[in-house]
Amino acid sequence: MFENFTHRQIETSGATINLRHGGNGPPVLLLHGHPQTHVMWHKVAPKLAESYTIVCADLRGYGDSAKPPTTPDHEPYSKRAMARDQVEAMRALGFERFAVVGHDRGGRCAYRMALDHPDRIVALSVLDIIPTAEHFQRTDMAFAMGYWHWFFLAQPHPIPERLIASDPDVFYLRRGRSLFDEAALAEYRRCYTNPETIHAMCEDYRAGATIDMRLDEEDQKAGRRIACPVQALWGLKNGLERWYDVLAVWRDWADRVEGHGIDCGHYLAEEAPEETLAALEPFLARAFKG
């Protein structure tokens, strides 16, 4: 797994970021979802590295990246703070401009990066998400029942942390173990059984329900839009397409939007790596040709 990639830990202004990088060509940053680590890209990154320089990073609070102390406003776990980490890490690797692909929570960091650092982002691909504010603004029974964990994890410390810590596997593997490669699953379990990681992941969702929501609403009010090309991919067996017109939602946030559903569940890069690659490769090629 990641045999030809180099492991590094990079000090940014806010956190130490754990990552692996490999390949040659234009730079592409891959960001993982919850409760995973950069290892989730193990089926996709080696193939992309044949044409691109691939960076697979752990978000702050996840994996082996730092877990900074939180504050009452949850700003240290905002997607703005996470995006700042990743921009600084990419700069430390020598990349001022790059494409970013983000799944789940990594997708939220990625679109915030495109909004906050438009001069840095060549292209944005988001996997199985719409913007955070859109979820909360459109909340109904279907979303609340389907994504109940958003509301659970955002509850004040320490209730979610204590309940999850009593049996992390029951909570984090509720969708099933069979979705993941055994080596990847072992890595996820190593990380999500750490009480500091459990707390940091709860802070991620608390930030989502507070400061991230506010930042999205400020962008909506100001009419701020994502400048780069946007690709949205989603799992047809997950809830996103049942609840939303995914491309229509993203077109409220960006002018150049494309994408489609893939016949899998939430974990596109692990459940359907070939189909995910088949979508990513032409999108990235067009973006870098510019």
Side-chain angles (χ1 to χ4, degrees), residues 68-172:
T70 191
T71 56
D73 65 358
H74 311 294
E75 190 281 335
Y77 288 88
S78 68
K79 306 314 156 295
R80 173 164 286 172
M82 291 182 178
R84 190 166 55 242
D85 291 337
Q86 300 299 331
V87 167
E88 292 181 17
M90 291 297 281
R91 183 184 296 120
L93 292 171
F95 305 124
E96 294 292 338
R97 284 176 52 79
F98 53 92
V100 58
V101 181
H103 171 253
D104 187 78
R105 309 308 287 182
R108 301 185 188 287
C109 173
Y111 83 75
R112 174 48 52 193
M113 195 182 308
L115 286 164
D116 286 358
H117 306 275
D119 56 327
R120 304 286 185 188
I121 307 305
V122 175
L124 165 68
S125 181
V126 288
L127 277 56
D128 217 48
I129 69 162
I130 63 170
T132 300
E134 298 283 357
H135 278 300
F136 283 121
Q137 291 165 352
R138 299 163 184 254
T139 295
D140 58 11
M141 180 67 79
F143 173 71
M145 293 299 289
Y147 274 26
W148 58 270
H149 62 285
W150 277 41
F151 304 93
F152 167 65
L153 291 167
Q155 295 304 306
H157 174 272
I159 293 174
E161 286 91 338
R162 289 186 179 178
L163 292 174
I164 293 168
S166 68
D167 195 339
D169 284 347
V170 166
F171 181 72
Y172 292 124

Side-chain angles (χ1 to χ4, degrees), residues 144-263:
M145 293 299 289
Y147 274 26
W148 58 270
H149 62 285
W150 277 41
F151 304 93
F152 167 65
L153 291 167
Q155 295 304 306
H157 174 272
I159 293 174
E161 286 91 338
R162 289 186 179 178
L163 292 174
I164 293 168
S166 68
D167 195 339
D169 284 347
V170 166
F171 181 72
Y172 292 124
L173 300 181
R174 62 191 182 277
R175 296 176 191 251
R177 291 173 176 263
S178 63
L179 299 172
F180 308 112
D181 176 90
E182 283 299 318
L185 179 58
E187 180 66 7
Y188 303 154
R189 291 192 74 256
R190 178 184 71 82
C191 296
Y192 73 55
T193 53
N194 177 354
E196 291 184 359
T197 304
I198 293 172
H199 175 59
M201 291 194 292
C202 290
E203 283 297 305
D204 172 10
Y205 282 81
R206 290 177 184 126
T210 54
I211 185 170
D212 292 342
M213 176 71 174
R214 177 175 59 79
L215 293 173
D216 278 6
E217 289 183 322
E218 288 175 358
D219 287 332
Q220 287 176 312
K221 185 176 181 179
R224 194 172 296 114
R225 297 173 67 79
I226 296 169
C228 67
V230 174
Q231 179 188 61
L233 304 173
W234 61 92
L236 293 171
K237 296 177 181 176
N238 202 31
L240 213 63
E241 188 173 272
R242 295 196 305 273
W243 304 332
Y244 314 107
D245 182 336
V246 180
L247 295 182
V249 173
W250 280 107
R251 285 174 179 140
D252 287 338
W253 290 75
D255 293 327
R256 293 176 286 171
V257 177
E258 63 183 82
H260 58 269
I262 291 176
D263 187 21

